[in-house]
Amino acid sequence: MADHPLVLGIETSCDETGVGIVRGSTLLADALASSVDEHARFGGVVPEVASRAHLEAMVPTIERAAATAGVRLADLDAVAVTAGPGLAGALLVGVAAAKAIAYGLGKPLYGVNHLAAHVAVDRLEHGDLPVPSIAMLVSGGHSSLLLVEDLATGVQPLGATLDDAAGEAFDKVARLLGLPFPGGPEIDRTARTGDPAYVTFPRGLTGHRDLAEHRFDFSFAGLKTAVARWVEARERDGEPVPLADVAASFQEAVVDVLTRKALAACQELAVDTLLIGGGVAANSRLRALAAERCSRAGVHLRIPRPGLCTDNGAMVAALGVALVQAGVAPTALDLGADSGLPVTTVAV
Ligand code: KG4
Ligand code: ZN
């Protein structure tokens, strides 16, 4: 088993119940059940609804993953589970399930960090990540720039959002434009026919003074307010709101700042690999602009396919494999969920 461990990964930090099975760097199954539709009418994820949905989906999703992979749980070398960060109640469902499997079958258990798992998933598609690398994780819950020195042990935060996460900004702006939740894919689609230079929306934390103090941090709350004010002014004047142009201009402001800061980190730390992950990494304009700017800067860009960017169980299994391969000690069976788990803790 040592070289190609067979690991089951469970992810329940938000609204996706993900169960992945990975052997070495081969993805065998990636079963997903989402409660996103149940949250749509609230315009955001409702923690209690997510927890209950995880509870209902857990066993069928594990069974589906095992059937797809064609493996028996008894054949596993280890079980990995997201221990944090995320919604406490939601995390607890995954942690309880993983503990039950590990205890019942006598398998090693690994409580892992959700952000490190977003980084680890890329090895399933592009092979081992060269280190050091810069990782930018952008989703509904997080926007972070990380220095990855060793996937199993050494992930250092360089910066994070001071207010809204990038995906949260997409979701909030979509809502004020009358688009359904989750807003990211809707804005992506709507923006395709729009002019990204129609409105020059603010680029948060890029001013001279901000850069001195918050070089690698992000802020999207001001941008969201600027879009709201712009739309209100149009409506007050009785003029129609050009949806596609506003969506494209907003999206451009987000992806411009994200790619600028990620590349500044690569340049300042003399790192030539940039990995982008998290739900917002599915954004077509972010992918295109990152590719353009990385190629100009001589930085090698890695972005997993969209299905592996959003939350899933495969990413947890992929990190579990890396931990087993690195000889990291398993987690004790009294593992708890830690909604605020720091990114520096790759495995609990
Ligand atoms: O990683 P993820 O599935 O869950 C969290 O950990 O949050 O990310 C979900 C977020 C949502 O905010 C969603 O609107 C955003 O990712 N998202 C996108 C796109 N697809 C998903 N944002 C921009 N463009 C997209 N194509
Ligand atoms: Zn995530």
Side-chain angles (χ1 to χ4, degrees):
M1 82 114 169
D3 284 352
H4 302 286
L6 180 67
V7 178
L8 176 96
I10 298 179
E11 155 61 35
T12 61
S13 68
C14 193
D15 57 342
E16 322 279 358
T17 312
V19 179
I21 300 180
V22 170
R23 189 192 299 279
S25 51
T26 307
L27 176 59
L28 302 181
D30 189 17
L32 203 65
S34 178
S35 58
V36 67
D37 293 343
E38 293 174 56
H39 307 288
R41 69 192 170 101
F42 302 105
V45 175
V46 183
E48 185 56 22
V49 172
S51 307
R52 284 170 188 276
H54 286 309
L55 212 49
E56 284 171 22
M58 184 54 67
V59 172
T61 310
I62 292 172
E63 286 172 349
R64 195 147 49 85
T68 305
V71 301
R72 297 176 315 143
L73 297 185
D75 297 332
L76 294 172
D77 292 309
V79 179
V81 61
T82 303
L87 304 170
L91 288 166
L92 212 53
V93 179
V95 166
K99 283 182 353 185
I101 297 172
Y103 181 66
L105 297 175
K107 305 293 180 186
L109 173 71
Y110 288 88
V112 308
N113 190 299
H114 180 82
L115 297 179
H118 269 302
V119 177
V121 75
D122 185 65
R123 66 198 309 250
L124 301 179
E125 203 169 342
H126 299 121
D128 284 343
L129 184 70
V131 285
S133 282
I134 298 291
M136 179 166 70
L137 301 180
V138 276
S139 77
H142 26 260
S143 304
S144 315
L145 264 181
L146 310 171
L147 173 65
V148 183
E149 289 171 307
D150 175 342
L151 181 56
T153 53
V155 178
Q156 302 303 327
L158 299 174
T161 182
L162 303 184
D163 39 60
D164 293 348
E168 195 178 352
F170 271 94
D171 295 336
K172 287 178 175 171
V173 166
R175 193 174 187 182
L176 71 90
L177 294 178
L179 299 169
F181 175 83
E186 297 288 333
I187 290 199
D188 196 345
R189 207 171 308 127
T190 308
R192 277 188 196 146
T193 54
D195 174 8
Y198 192 82
V199 191
T200 307
F201 285 123
R203 270 62 171 163
L205 298 184
T206 57
H208 199 65
R209 203 177 303 155
D210 287 332
L211 280 179
E213 209 184 327
H214 296 291
R215 186 156 218 76
F216 300 134
D217 290 325
F218 304 104
S219 167
F220 298 108
L223 169 60
K224 174 197 64 194
T225 308
V227 178
R229 295 287 166 275
W230 195 92
V231 169
E232 278 163 23
R234 269 288 168 121
E235 285 169 346
R236 206 176 318 117
D237 295 344
E239 288 183 42
V241 175
L243 263 196
D245 294 328
V246 176
S249 301
F250 157 75
Q251 177 175 270
E252 197 65 19
V254 176
V255 305
D256 177 26
V257 173
L258 290 176
T259 50
R260 245 199 268 176
K261 294 212 171 201
L263 276 160
C266 290
Q267 267 145 11
E268 272 181 44
L269 281 81
V271 171
D272 65 3
T273 304
L274 171 65
L275 168 79
I276 308 183
V280 180
N283 183 269
S284 61
R285 180 62 187 144
L286 174 60
R287 296 173 87 96
L289 189 61
E292 192 184 307
R293 290 185 172 172
C294 280
S295 117
R296 215 181 304 142
V299 169
H300 184 59
L301 175 66
R302 295 163 65 122
I303 314 181
R305 64 175 181 268
L308 292 180
C309 285
T310 47
D311 290 351
N312 61 78
M315 64 193 224
V316 180
L319 180 53
V321 167
L323 294 169
V324 173
Q325 286 173 333
V328 172
T331 308
L333 278 173
D334 63 355
L335 167 70
D338 182 352
S339 60
L341 188 67
V343 69
T344 43
T345 306
V346 174
V348 180

